[in-house]
């Protein structure tokens, strides 16, 4: 079995593969204060709770955008799984040519998503990941990462408004039933979600037009992607585990 771990600013996502089959996955809160023992025991416990034998894990690969958590995570894996984890970083074989001023500054999560999109769906494609931040990245038919940018995530915007506006409540992030809002919660949800839907549509339109790639596939992933396109009108592919797939592919390329 292969354990794949994607560490984001808000959540960990962990998956277990047998060959090419994802047999289980879990989500846990990213926390910077856990010890190596706490982290290792918790992850080992996920296997026990799911009826999986942690002793069958033969390899681990980690992608992280949170440097502060890496010591406890890697030490926990070493101690409780007896495995030296592979870390996604500079120098890995990816199959992607990064056409950026400083390729070293591109987040590991973005590279992992692009690898999965390229290998599974092919370019040209816009790959959108909805998380703490939203990333919009473009890969062409030559396996080149040609442009990309970052916008504030939906939950980040909601949290910022909740913290800064004294009379705004903490809300569930979901698509409103109607744009005609008649109370504070509906108004907040409508502005937040519909604003991000409009942003997504405009960015896709502009990328296709300015890159002269009108037939680019639009591939989306991330916990809130479904909120943006509940009726399957914007994305060509909605793949909730794209990053986990990319980690498996990267492991196979670099083992």
């Amino acid at each position: 079995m292969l354990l794949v771990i994607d560490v984001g600013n808000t959540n960990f996502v962990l998956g277990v593969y047998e060959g090419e089959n994802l047999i289980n996955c879990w989500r846990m809160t990213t926390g910077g204060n856990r010890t190596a023992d706490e982290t290792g025991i918790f992850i080992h416990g996920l296997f026990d709770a799911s009826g999986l034998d942690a002793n069958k894990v033969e390899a681990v690969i980690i992608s992280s955008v949170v440097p502060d958590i890496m010591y406890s995570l890697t030490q926990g894996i070493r101690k409780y799984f007896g495995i030296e984890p592979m870390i996604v970083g500079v120098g890995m074989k990816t199959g992607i040519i990064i056409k950026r001023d400083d390729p070293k500054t591109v987040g590991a999560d973005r590279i992992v998503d692009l690898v999965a999109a390229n290998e599974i769906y092919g370019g040209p494609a816009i790959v959108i990941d909805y998380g703490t931040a939203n990333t919009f990245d473009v890969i062409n038919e030559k396996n080149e990462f040609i442009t990309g940018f970052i916008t504030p995530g939906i939950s980040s915007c909601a949290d910022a408004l909740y913290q800064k506006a004294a009379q705004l409540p903490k809300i569930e992030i979901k698509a409103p039933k109607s744009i005609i809002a008649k109370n504070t919660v509906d108004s907040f949800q409508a502005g937040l979600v519909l604003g991000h839907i409009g942003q997504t549509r405009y960015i896709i339109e502009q990328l296709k037009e300015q890159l002269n790639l009108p037939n680019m596939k639009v591939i989306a992933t991330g916990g809130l992607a479904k909120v943006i396109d509940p009726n399957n009108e914007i994305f060509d592919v909605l793949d909730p585990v794209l990053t986990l797939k990319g980690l498996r592919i990267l492991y196979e390329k670099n083992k």
Side-chain angles (χ1 to χ4, degrees), residues 12 28-39 42 69 72-73:
F12 274 61
M28 60 184 282
T29 301
T30 301
N33 296 320
R34 295 189 184 97
T35 66
D37 287 320
E38 289 171 327
T39 303
F42 185 89
I69 205 170
S72 61
L73 176 58

Side-chain angles (χ1 to χ4, degrees), residues 21 42-43 73 83 85 95 116 122 124 165 222:
N21 297 318
F42 185 89
I43 295 174
L73 176 58
I83 292 169

Side-chain angles (χ1 to χ4, degrees), residues 10-46:
T10 305
N11 293 306
F12 274 61
V13 182
L14 308 93
V16 182
Y17 277 92
E18 281 188 345
E20 296 185 4
N21 297 318
L22 180 65
I23 60 173
N24 213 326
C25 61
W26 308 278
R27 183 179 295 267
M28 60 184 282
T29 301
T30 301
N33 296 320
R34 295 189 184 97
T35 66
D37 287 320
E38 289 171 327
T39 303
I41 290 169
F42 185 89
I43 295 174
H44 204 282
L46 293 174

Side-chain angles (χ1 to χ4, degrees), residues 167-169 171 181-190:
Q167 291 188 315
L168 284 180
I171 64 165
K182 295 185 178 181
N183 58 63
T184 300
V185 170
D186 287 351
S187 298
F188 196 170
Q189 288 175 330

Side-chain angles (χ1 to χ4, degrees), residues 210-222:
Q210 295 191 31
L211 293 170
N212 194 26
L213 293 170
N215 297 317
M216 272 198 298
K217 292 183 287 292
V218 179
I219 302 165
T221 191

